[in-house]
Amino acid sequence: MAGGASESRSAAGGRNPWLIAVIVSIATFMLVLDTSIANVALRNIAGSLAAGMDESTWVITTYLVANSVIIPVSGWLASVIGRKRYYMFCVATFTIASLLCGLAPNLEMLIVFRILQGLGGGGMAPSEQSILADTFPPEKRSQAFALYGIAVIVAPTVGPTIGGWLTDNFSWHWIFFINVPFGIMSLALVQWLLVEPDVLERERQERLKGGLRIDWVGFILVATALGCLEIFLDEGQRNDWFASGFITTFAAISAISFLLLIPWEFSHRDPIVDIRLLFSRQFGTSFLVMMAVGAVLFSTTQLMPQLQQTAFDYTATLSGLSMMPGGIAMLMLMPISGFAAGVVQPKYLIMMGMSVVVVALWHMTSLTPDASFRFFAFARIFLMIGLPFLFIPISTAAYVGLVPQQTNQASALINVARNIGGSIGVSLSNTVIAQYAQLHQANLVSHTAQSSPAYQQALRQVTEHFVAQGSTMLQAKQQAVGWIGQLIARQASLLAYVDIFRYCAIVTALFVPLALLLRSPKPDKG
């Protein structure tokens, strides 16, 4: 039954399948919430553990590396261990690791526990999506992914707000402790209500007949390729990219591993990652579009609070609150998007969603130094309006034409696409901002020559202001020069953010026609 669910593969076991969709969304919300919360608390973690900011970034990097290593092989692991068993193991690992992260006495132990947390978290999303794909027939799959999508996309929206509030009012330890009750509740409900279908158990036994064949070479290659790529993307800007031997080495190792991985997995009888899926028109297109969605979602989720806190002096809580209206808008649109995906062809919804995102990003280029809280809130709402019409149709279209045995591998790879896209988007955005801020600053400084009448007038006015505040003429002049320097740096940073929003809009626009390659899902006839 191509790409379709059947009763024999359903995880509902005769129960209402929507109950299963709600249950798997609990752990998803916990997982995605944790990813977005940790970014907010980095400065507090560094101060509490007597570490520098550069050292504390490894709290994020190591988690992402562990995540990227385990995601592509999670489909194979679920087939070998058993999907329900593997899923519960992942939730338990993530929950225990979260508790240990909150109790970590130093940065080194926190990094170790974050690696464990990443390994547990990486296997959760692919297993959940595979469960949904097998439990719901094609004509209802879009609504199921809409419910699931509420957790996936709303969590990073409310994450900064929750993280900022917990950090400001309690301590950074609570950003990890908050996962524990969610994890326990998820484990209890999964054990009680989710079923491992007999057909999956028979397929597992068939696979294990004659001994377990492990594609160790494939595993090492995919782990090395994605792990090194994640370090390259996450640490590249901080280490000046290819000017650093450390970054160049990881880039080379990743590239070589990718080149070796493709022919090896193509020729292997039982590959740990089914690379062939990427070369099919339907899934390959879905993979590329999901990368673009991941880049937009992750980069804007990180850039907006970053912009507000550096250029507008927002607190972590306030910047999080400015993003919350977007989450509410998405919450309201998810059911509508799920219904629309069952009526309108996914490719048209994707094109519409991407067009909305393009216009929303272009709207952000109107950013000014006196932008209000209202501007940021409405800009986020505008952007979030388009994303439900991307995430759900892509998730639905990705499974069209696949046989049921491929759902585990497809779920793993579509999550790889979102994560890689997100890492690339964040990395390139931060690089462009850093480089263009320097260019804009150099350009603005060129207008502060002593011979410039405008500069002399500004310097005189600011000096008079500081004199009125009680400074001597000499002190006031020095303070005025310093104030103008800070103003130039802030304006340069703001112009760099405007540039990145413009480039994101252009790149997203280039992906719009790609959706035309997608085929439509066909109703299940079995």
Side-chain angles (χ1 to χ4, degrees):
M1 193 176 304
S6 68
E7 288 295 328
S8 62
R9 302 186 70 85
S10 172
R15 296 185 177 89
N16 190 325
W18 293 104
L19 182 62
I20 303 302
V22 171
I23 290 170
V24 299
S25 297
I26 294 171
T28 302
F29 187 84
M30 170 184 71
L31 173 66
V32 183
L33 186 71
D34 178 85
T35 305
S36 57
I37 278 181
N39 290 314
V40 177
L42 270 187
R43 192 178 299 276
N44 300 75
I45 292 173
S48 175
L49 299 179
M53 275 302 293
D54 283 348
E55 293 174 309
S56 68
T57 58
W58 283 99
V59 171
I60 305 297
T61 302
T62 49
Y63 175 86
L64 293 174
V65 170
N67 219 253
S68 63
V69 165
I70 205 67
I71 285 176
V73 301
S74 59
W76 182 86
L77 288 170
S79 299
V80 170
I81 298 173
R83 190 167 61 190
K84 177 180 177 179
R85 196 176 297 115
Y86 175 64
Y87 179 57
M88 292 187 67
F89 176 77
C90 289
V91 175
T93 301
F94 185 88
T95 305
I96 294 170
S98 296
L99 178 63
L100 294 174
C101 284
L103 297 173
N106 52 54
L107 184 64
E108 291 76 14
M109 292 305 297
L110 177 58
I111 288 173
V112 170
F113 296 142
R114 282 287 282 175
I115 292 173
L116 184 63
Q117 195 183 34
L119 292 174
M124 286 162 58
S127 299
E128 291 158 353
Q129 292 177 19
S130 175
I131 288 168
L132 292 178
D134 277 347
T135 302
F136 288 85
E139 63 270 18
K140 293 185 179 178
R141 198 174 286 158
S142 57
Q143 290 96 321
F145 279 120
L147 177 60
Y148 179 78
I150 290 174
V152 172
I153 304 181
V154 172
T157 304
V158 300
T161 305
I162 296 173
W165 184 79
L166 287 172
T167 304
D168 292 343
N169 293 280
F170 296 95
S171 73
W172 64 265
H173 304 81
W174 284 94
I175 68 173
F176 297 112
F177 290 150
I178 196 175
N179 294 330
V180 177
F182 281 105
I184 293 172
M185 178 169 61
S186 174
L187 283 171
L189 291 173
V190 169
Q191 173 61 28
W192 178 30
L193 298 171
L194 199 132
V195 172
E196 180 74 355
D198 292 337
V199 66
L200 292 188
E201 187 60 28
R202 286 197 300 272
E203 287 174 7
R204 188 177 79 87
Q205 295 296 337
E206 186 66 28
R207 178 187 283 269
L208 297 177
K209 191 184 296 181
L212 177 62
R213 294 185 300 274
I214 302 176
D215 179 16
W216 286 111
V217 174
F219 174 74
I220 292 170
L221 287 174
V222 74
T224 305
L226 291 176
C228 291
L229 175 65
E230 192 62 57
I231 291 176
F232 167 73
L233 293 171
D234 207 52
E235 296 294 320
Q237 172 59 29
R238 283 188 285 270
N239 290 275
D240 200 19
W241 293 105
F242 291 104
S244 163
F246 171 77
I247 294 299
T248 303
T249 300
F250 276 92
I253 294 172
S254 178
I256 293 169
S257 299
F258 271 119
L259 290 174
L260 295 174
L261 174 68
I262 294 172
W264 176 266
E265 294 298 270
F266 255 112
S267 59
H268 202 273
R269 212 172 107 192
D270 189 16
I272 201 162
V273 179
D274 193 354
I275 296 290
R276 296 176 186 84
L277 287 173
L278 298 178
F279 292 88
S280 69
R281 171 180 145 182
Q282 183 77 4
F283 189 83
T285 302
S286 301
F287 186 91
L288 289 175
V289 177
M290 183 60 89
M291 281 184 66
V293 173
V296 171
L297 176 63
F298 283 85
S299 59
T300 54
T301 300
Q302 180 165 320
L303 288 179
M304 291 288 278
Q306 187 175 292
L307 165 65
Q308 292 165 334
Q309 292 175 37
T310 56
F312 292 88
D313 297 325
Y314 279 31
T315 63
T317 304
L318 191 60
S319 64
L321 285 172
S322 73
M323 297 177 73
M324 189 169 283
I328 295 171
M330 180 165 298
L331 188 67
M332 296 169 64
L333 283 171
M334 274 294 185
I336 298 172
S337 174
F339 173 78
V343 178
V344 182
Q345 290 188 28
K347 59 185 176 184
Y348 297 129
L349 288 177
I350 292 169
M351 292 178 72
M352 184 195 76
M354 280 198 156
S355 298
V356 172
V357 169
V358 169
V359 176
L361 288 170
W362 197 264
H363 168 256
M364 284 297 297
T365 62
S366 63
L367 182 67
T368 60
D370 59 348
S372 64
F373 180 93
R374 180 175 177 172
F375 174 86
F376 288 114
F378 275 101
R380 189 65 180 174
I381 290 172
F382 198 0
L383 181 66
M384 289 294 115
I385 287 173
L387 287 179
F389 297 97
L390 289 172
F391 176 78
I392 296 166
I394 294 169
S395 299
T396 304
Y399 295 93
V400 173
L402 300 182
V403 297
Q405 291 78 7
Q406 291 178 310
T407 54
N408 283 342
Q409 288 277 2
S411 299
L413 286 172
I414 210 69
N415 278 275
V416 169
R418 192 183 71 237
N419 282 19
I420 290 179
S423 296
I424 292 174
V426 170
S427 179
L428 291 181
S429 296
N430 284 327
T431 300
V432 170
I433 287 169
Q435 294 181 353
Y436 274 63
Q438 292 176 356
L439 291 174
H440 286 302
Q441 186 162 352
N443 181 49
L444 292 172
V445 167
S446 68
H447 295 284
T448 60
Q450 294 295 327
S451 58
S452 168
Y455 172 67
Q456 289 299 328
Q457 182 182 357
L459 184 63
R460 184 169 55 255
Q461 290 175 343
V462 178
T463 301
E464 290 172 356
H465 168 77
F466 283 116
V467 168
Q469 298 295 317
S471 299
T472 64
M473 180 58 71
L474 179 61
Q475 290 173 331
K477 201 160 198 177
Q478 291 173 338
Q479 289 171 324
V481 171
W483 184 87
I484 291 173
Q486 291 177 347
L487 180 64
I488 287 173
R490 182 170 291 195
Q491 292 276 346
S493 175
L494 199 64
L495 289 171
Y497 277 98
V498 169
D499 288 334
I500 196 60
F501 290 131
R502 182 181 297 112
Y503 293 146
C504 283
I506 293 170
V507 171
T508 304
L510 295 176
F511 274 86
V512 174
L514 194 64
L516 291 172
L517 295 174
L518 294 170
R519 298 196 303 270
S520 304
K522 295 178 181 178
D524 187 9
K525 297 178 182 179

